Amino acid sequence: ETGVTQTPRHLVMGMTNKKSLKCEQHLGHNAMYWYKQSAKKPLELMFVYNFKEQTENNSVPSRFSPECPNSSHLFLHLHTLQPEDSALYLCATSPGVDTEAFFGQGTRLTVV
Amino acid sequence: QKEVEQNSGPLSVPEGAIASLNCTYSDRVSQSFFWYRQYSGKSPELIMSIYSNGDKEDGRFTAQLNKASQYVSLLIRDSQPSDSATYLCAVKSSSNTGKLIFGQGTTLQVKP
């Protein structure tokens, strides 16, 4: 138990589906992140939220849409994904923007 | 030039030896540096953070930072087979937006 919980743990979706990934934190942290980890590639930062405001969008395609409704929850809305979007999606949180980040268990996404 | 560079390995050491993992970064003004361990199929786990030049020790782990050379290293003393994992170096961007950039990771194999 890391204090950062991601659901679902596994997701298979078709290219025309719409789905959402959820991240919930119980650490009282102010910053939340979405990362993508593909096979044999480094962790790719997607989005950063600080105090519920988006501070980084790392040139992510619009088929990925983040939402941070409150300081405890972060969502990643997915629509019309491509097979190359299949990856491990990781949520992380940190007390502040200059401190260490703690990761959830990840959602393994497969796009078919 | 990649923002954070690591040798992908694998780095193979015998049990009981010292494992030395290296990382260089491009943002000269970065102030926060982290080492994560990632076991296969799991999410990254924070093992060390370092913010000042010099050495920081925590149990069998020592992180070393040289900002002038833009270089961070991790030493693992008395390596154990359970230390076999991928070690990720991460650097906080100086942009103060929370951007945390990862290297591609070094795979460590500790042979009994």
Side-chain angles (χ1 to χ4, degrees):
Chain A
E1 176 58 51
T2 65
V4 182
T5 303
Q6 290 186 243
T7 53
R9 295 293 304 277
H10 300 273
L11 178 62
V12 179
M13 61 185 287
M15 289 189 285
T16 59
N17 290 161
K18 290 184 179 182
K19 296 286 185 183
S20 295
L21 309 184
K22 179 182 175 182
C23 176
E24 183 173 2
Q25 61 125 338
H26 305 282
L27 301 171
H29 289 173
N30 297 314
M32 300 185 77
Y33 312 75
W34 280 116
Y35 281 88
K36 175 185 177 182
Q37 190 172 38
S38 305
K40 302 191 187 304
K41 292 179 70 175
L43 275 163
E44 297 174 60
L45 178 65
M46 300 176 74
F47 304 102
V48 182
Y49 278 79
N50 189 35
F51 290 100
K52 301 186 296 179
E53 299 296 322
Q54 187 180 125
T55 57
E56 279 283 342
N57 177 337
N58 203 28
S59 303
V60 180
S62 59
R63 58 186 183 270
F64 295 92
S65 175
E67 179 189 5
C68 188
N70 56 59
S71 58
S72 299
H73 294 89
L74 183 66
F75 294 90
L76 188 62
H77 303 300
L78 315 171
H79 66 97
T80 60
L81 294 192
Q82 305 299 310
E84 58 265 29
D85 296 321
S86 299
L88 180 66
Y89 288 85
L90 290 158
C91 173
T93 72
S94 63
V97 291
D98 57 350
T99 55
E100 61 272 16
F102 298 89
F103 285 84
Q105 313 96 313
T107 295
R108 174 69 62 185
L109 174 68
T110 303
V111 181
V112 296
Chain B
Q1 181 188 7
K2 293 180 182 176
E3 292 181 86
V4 181
E5 292 207 56
Q6 296 179 255
N7 187 326
S8 60
L11 172 66
S12 184
V13 301
E15 184 175 356
I18 296 175
S20 178
L21 305 161
N22 305 313
C23 172
T24 58
Y25 59 94
S26 61
D27 185 346
R28 182 173 295 278
V29 193
S30 294
Q31 297 294 325
S32 307
F33 308 87
F34 310 96
W35 283 99
Y36 288 81
R37 178 176 60 200
Q38 187 173 25
Y39 292 111
S40 180
K42 302 292 186 181
S43 61
E45 171 193 10
L46 177 72
I47 53 173
M48 289 287 283
S49 57
I50 186 165
Y51 303 93
S52 304
N53 278 330
D55 294 0
K56 179 181 178 182
E57 186 175 320
D58 184 1
R60 295 187 296 112
F61 298 99
T62 298
Q64 299 174 317
L65 173 61
N66 184 326
K67 291 183 181 179
S69 301
Q70 295 172 242
Y71 177 89
V72 192
S73 65
L74 180 71
L75 300 178
I76 306 174
R77 289 181 300 282
D78 188 23
S79 295
Q80 302 297 309
S82 58
D83 294 327
S84 299
T86 297
Y87 289 81
L88 304 170
C89 173
V91 179
K92 280 275 183 167
S93 163
S94 58
S95 66
N96 207 35
T97 59
K99 190 174 181 180
L100 179 64
I101 304 301
F102 283 81
Q104 69 269 40
T106 299
T107 300
L108 173 66
Q109 297 174 347
V110 181
K111 297 187 180 299

